[in-house]
Every structure is written in structure tokens, then in C-alpha cells.
Amino acid sequence: MPEDTCLLCRAAAGELPARIFVAGERVLGLVNDLEPLSRGHVVFFPRRHAARLDLLDDAELAELVQWAARSARALGLEAYNLLQNNGALAGQTIFHAHLHLIPKRSEAEGLRYERPSRRRLDHGDAFATLEKAFGGAGGTGSPEEPAPSSSHSK
């Protein structure tokens, strides 16, 4: 989606009404007035247009989570969800990476999540790909960027 039609880019530019309450170096935060799931439902997004979370740099990722945590503390939340979807198949509807902070104030308010019955899935290919990308067992050290791949394991 071009930046000139992206709802979040347009809100950041002041072209759409938005209650922006955080204006960080890399990230903005606004109240979700379009489709709130609970009182205090807010959305954080990078100033730079990027369609998915994996396209953000480490500083943008860190700032997204920092503002979400600070906002949860400011709202005095003990129960809340962080929601982040990437790609239409995963439920993304605004194709600018963003992170929802959704307070869970009661059973009726907030994100509803029902766990499906447990099933056995073969994670062998995904594990092998990740182990190769990140240098083996243990996952110690810094999370360096893996080499781009033209195919993705499911």
C-alpha cells in the first residue's frame, strides 16, 4: 500500500483525525477510535512506513514494545493483550506494521481468545531452518539477521 493511502501514515501526517498520545523518536501511539475492543485500546506504529514487523529495525521494535509497556503501567493494567498481525492471512487489515495494546478489564471487554484443542504438528523443518539461521542450540548471543531466503517453511 502506498504511503499516501496508508491510514497510519495519513494519521501521522495530520491528514486524518487521530488522538495521538505518544510521539516518540521512531514510534507514534494513538487511541483506537475506529475499532476498539475495550476502553483504553491503543495502537503503536513506526513513523517509517513498513508493512510487517519483520521489516522494522531493532530500534523501532524496541520502541514499540517500550511504549506498550509504559502505557500498560500508566493505565494501571494487570490484564491486557498485545496483538500484532502480519499479512492478510494472519488478519492484518492495515498494511503498516502496528502493535495493539488491548486492556482486558472483564470477560466481556477486550480480546477474546479461545485455545484450540492441542494437536501434534511437525516443527522439524522450522526448527532446522531457525537453528541454521541462528547458529545452533541455545540461542545465545545477539539476534543477528539471518540471510534472506526465497522460500519459507510452514
Side-chain angles (χ1 to χ4, degrees):
M1 169 177 284
E3 292 177 39
D4 60 338
T5 59
C6 171
L7 290 177
L8 294 178
C9 288
R10 291 183 64 209
E15 297 171 10
L16 294 175
R19 292 194 287 167
I20 296 175
F21 66 95
V22 162
E25 182 180 344
R26 296 173 184 86
V27 170
L28 296 172
L30 55 80
V31 175
N32 184 347
D33 287 317
L34 292 178
E35 296 178 322
L37 296 178
S38 68
R39 291 167 289 134
H41 180 165
V42 296
V43 176
F44 304 93
F45 60 97
R47 291 175 181 271
R48 179 178 68 87
H49 183 85
R52 298 185 320 267
L53 189 75
D54 58 291
L55 300 174
L56 301 181
D57 65 37
D58 289 348
E60 290 166 323
L61 291 168
E63 195 172 318
L64 277 173
V65 174
Q66 288 168 347
W67 282 119
R70 289 175 184 167
S71 297
R73 286 192 295 270
L75 292 168
L77 301 177
E78 292 184 16
Y80 58 91
N81 296 95
L82 294 178
L83 175 65
Q84 207 285 318
N85 302 322
N86 295 281
L89 187 60
Q92 186 176 11
T93 57
I94 295 177
F95 295 92
H96 183 128
H98 57 285
L99 177 67
H100 295 259
L101 168 63
I102 307 168
K104 186 68 175 164
R105 300 180 189 279
S106 69
E107 284 295 321
E109 192 175 350
L111 187 65
R112 287 188 126 352
Y113 175 72
E114 295 181 23
R115 293 180 188 263
S117 62
R118 299 200 188 273
R119 58 181 182 212
R120 296 247 181 231
L121 297 174
D122 181 0
H123 294 291
D125 289 345
F127 176 75
T129 298
L130 292 168
E131 187 176 43
K132 182 178 178 185
F134 300 116
T140 59
S142 67
E144 294 182 23
E145 189 68 27
S149 172
S150 58
S151 64
H152 297 281
S153 297
K154 294 186 179 185

